Every structure is written in C-alpha cells, then in structure tokens.
Amino acid sequence: MSSRPATRPTMKDVAAAAGVGLKTVSRVVNDESGVSPAMAARVQAVIDELGFRRNDSARLLRTGTTASVGLVLEDIGDPFSSALSRAVEAVAREHGCLLFTGSSAEDADRERELALALCARRVDGLVVVPAGGDHGYLLPEAASGLAVVFLDRPGIGIEADAVLSDNTGGARAGTAHLIAHGHRRIGFVGDLPHIHTSAERLRGYREAMRAAGLPVDERWIATGPTDPATVGRAVRRLLACEPEGSGGPGPSGAEPVTALFTANNRVTLAALQALAGLPVRPAVVGFDDLELAALLSPGLTVVAQDPEALGRTAARLLFDRLGHDTSPPRRIELPTRLIVRGSGEVPPA
C-alpha cells in the first residue's frame, strides 16, 4: 500500500495505488455493478487506507442531485422541534440522503435566509416550519425543481404540500374537558396571535366555549411572547393575583379564571413555574406533551401531538415528490389526543 498523500486524495490517487482504471474506482465508489467482489474489496481497501471521500459536487454535475435535503425549524432546542428533526432525519437516512438543519428562531427574515442558503447549496428538497407570512420567495426554486413541504404550519403565497396537527380540534377537546369538570371561566394563554398554530388553537378554545353556551371575556385571553416573565405576568393577571386598573375583581374588572388552557409546551412550562407555590392552583390543560408531565403533582393533562408522525409524514411526502409524484398539493392533518393525568380534572375552587 502507498502512504497517505499530504493533500486530499482523489480517485486518480486510488486508481494508481490499486493499479486499476478510474472507471473501476468510480464503480466501487458509487456502488455500481461491473466489478468483481475481489476487485471491489481491493479498491475499497485502498480507499480506506488513503481516506478517500467521494466529491458530491461531482455528483451534482453528473446527476443533477446532491442526495441532501434541508430542514428549517423554529428552534432546534425545543423538544417538539427536536422530535421533528429526528423523524425527518430517519426518513432521509432510509433514502440515503444527508439532512441539513437550521433554526429560524421564529424570525421570518432568518427563515428566508436559511431556506435560500440551503437552496444555494443545491439541496434536492426542503421541509420548512414556517416563521414568516409569505413564502413566495420559494416560487423560483420550486419552478426549478425543488421539492417543498411545509410542516406544522401551512406555507403562504405558494402551492405546496403541508403536514399539520388538528390544532383547532385539539384545543376544542382540551377546553371542553375543562368545561366538563365544572369550569366556566377558562383562561387561554397562547403564543403570538399571528402564528398559525396559535390562531387555530384559540379558535378551538372559542368553539368549545360557544358550544357549551359560555361567554368569553376577552380579558381571559392572553397571547404574546412565550418567555417565562411575560407568561408569568399573564397567568397572575388572569388569576387576579396582580389585578390591573381599579375596575373591581380580577383583571381590569373581569372575573378571575378557575382554569387555564396553555397553548404550547413553552407556555405550559412558564405557566407551571408561575403557579408554583400558590395555595390554590387552577385546573390546567396544556397543548403539547412534556417529558416529565406524568411526574408532576398532579400529573399534567395535555392535548398531545405526535411530532414523530408529523416529521415522518412530511419527509415521506417530500421523497414522494422527489420520486416524481406530480399529484396536486396535499394538506394532511394528523389527529391529537387528550391524555388525562390530573391537572385538568381539578374542580373549580
């Protein structure tokens, strides 16, 4: 065997060291037929010795594909996003593809920047969890053959596949569960109102209240940033721990709530932090399951999504498109389920 070259080895280096032609090396590298097992083993031994790696830029020139796909998430550190990423990556691996992942931090400009950067690197397809309200910037890429699937929220300004949860139905079921346990004044604490999932879950909350013949005081609804300080202030206001103004009991004269519907995992965690130590705690139903939800006291009742199913479904749809599925764009909505653990069954004080 020859010694390892000082520069990155090429197929010519492998061919010279193995005493074979370039075509033979190419067939071994690309797992093509036409090479005997003994010869393939000989070439592979040289490849391992030299540390040769296939140049996928050459693959792009030869086939027009890179065997890579991109995933733009909201926040890779969020457990829900992490589960999505693992599921998409598993399907990509089944198809021999590499996954590139980035986080938009719920910033529309960052989403666009990441998506177009991945396009510039010639990924074959994109799965996007939208942060922005206009995805027309992907129209030229889609026209050039890029496959695009939106995940968790639909794209806007582009006809493309979308894989979502039943946000409205899940929130409706969670709110109805609180109503069934005697609550009539239920607070809703959610994300920024322009976000699709936040708006759909608020709609489900309103539908459940309306179906039960219950009025909704708009002061029972708090939407906005999901940092602990902001959510904590909202929770204390709804519970009348920090009444605003001088209009009587509760938040600016509104009756205090006896239950909370928290509309995503970050909101739920921040709300639980705000409720810690209170002598009387409201009933709580959260949207999204939490890893330690069953260990709380009482256990946390949740409306659970299935992020792994969402990610797998979106990724399989993407690879269907890469396999030349030309059917009209699809909108797939996966069901949620109510998991009863105790916090949503606390009766009104």
Side-chain angles (χ1 to χ4, degrees):
M1 291 289 180
S2 63
S3 61
R4 184 186 299 267
T7 58
R8 181 175 294 177
T10 67
M11 280 207 291
K12 285 184 178 180
D13 296 321
V14 174
V20 299
L22 276 174
K23 185 62 176 177
T24 300
V25 177
S26 176
R27 285 174 174 164
V28 173
V29 167
N30 294 294
D31 198 23
E32 297 173 359
S33 61
V35 181
S36 69
M39 181 64 73
R42 175 178 161 188
V43 172
Q44 187 61 53
V46 175
I47 288 173
D48 294 340
E49 170 70 16
L50 298 182
F52 170 79
R53 293 292 179 269
R54 183 178 65 186
N55 182 353
D56 278 344
S57 296
R59 174 193 175 97
L60 175 61
L61 292 172
R62 186 176 68 255
T63 68
T65 64
T66 59
S68 63
V69 293
L71 172 62
V72 179
L73 294 165
E74 177 191 352
D75 177 7
I76 193 65
D78 181 88
F80 180 77
S81 293
S82 296
L84 292 179
S85 179
R86 284 195 301 271
V88 173
E89 184 176 27
V91 176
R93 191 165 58 246
E94 290 171 6
H95 288 81
C97 272
L98 183 65
L99 179 69
F100 295 104
T101 305
S103 300
S104 69
E106 204 64 75
D107 182 282
D109 291 337
R110 177 60 178 159
E111 174 212 300
R112 176 189 176 107
E113 175 189 338
L114 269 174
L116 292 179
L118 290 167
C119 291
R121 284 157 178 77
R122 297 296 187 265
V123 294
D124 301 322
L126 273 182
V127 177
V128 180
V129 177
D134 181 6
H135 300 94
Y137 67 86
L138 286 172
L139 286 170
E141 305 294 338
S144 298
L146 180 78
V148 182
V149 175
F150 291 96
L151 178 56
D152 191 43
R153 309 163 188 173
I156 300 173
I158 183 174
E159 291 291 323
D161 297 311
V163 179
L164 320 170
S165 289
D166 181 10
N167 293 287
T168 301
R172 186 168 56 240
T175 305
H177 185 73
L178 291 167
I179 294 169
H181 284 81
H183 295 278
R184 300 296 177 263
R185 300 191 304 275
I186 300 170
F188 177 95
V189 188
D191 210 328
L192 297 167
H194 70 271
I195 295 174
H196 172 80
T197 48
S198 181
E200 290 294 290
R201 293 168 194 175
L202 178 56
R203 182 158 70 94
Y205 159 85
R206 290 186 185 277
E207 287 181 359
M209 296 290 280
R210 184 167 58 249
L214 298 176
V216 174
D217 191 313
E218 294 302 315
R219 291 166 292 187
W220 294 342
I221 297 172
T223 57
T226 59
D227 61 279
T230 301
V231 173
R233 285 193 296 271
V235 167
R236 289 189 292 271
R237 178 175 65 82
L238 295 175
L239 297 177
C241 294
E242 291 183 356
E244 297 176 351
S246 56
S252 301
E255 289 291 323
V257 302
T258 63
L260 294 173
F261 183 83
T262 52
N264 68 34
N265 56 2
R266 293 185 303 278
V267 171
T268 301
L269 285 170
L272 293 176
Q273 182 179 342
L275 294 174
L278 292 183
V280 178
R281 293 172 60 171
V284 177
V285 172
F287 202 111
D288 291 330
D289 204 1
L290 302 178
E291 187 174 357
L292 301 179
L295 301 182
L296 300 174
S297 183
L300 181 66
T301 295
V302 298
V303 175
Q305 302 184 82
D306 189 342
E308 291 188 2
L310 285 166
R312 284 196 307 270
T313 303
R316 286 171 180 162
L317 190 50
L318 183 75
F319 282 100
D320 285 347
R321 296 301 185 188
L322 291 174
H324 308 295
D325 178 352
T326 58
S327 61
R330 282 173 271 177
R331 180 176 172 129
I332 300 173
E333 198 167 87
L334 301 185
T336 59
R337 63 191 179 104
L338 183 71
I339 302 177
V340 175
R341 297 193 179 108
S343 69
E345 298 69 62
V346 175

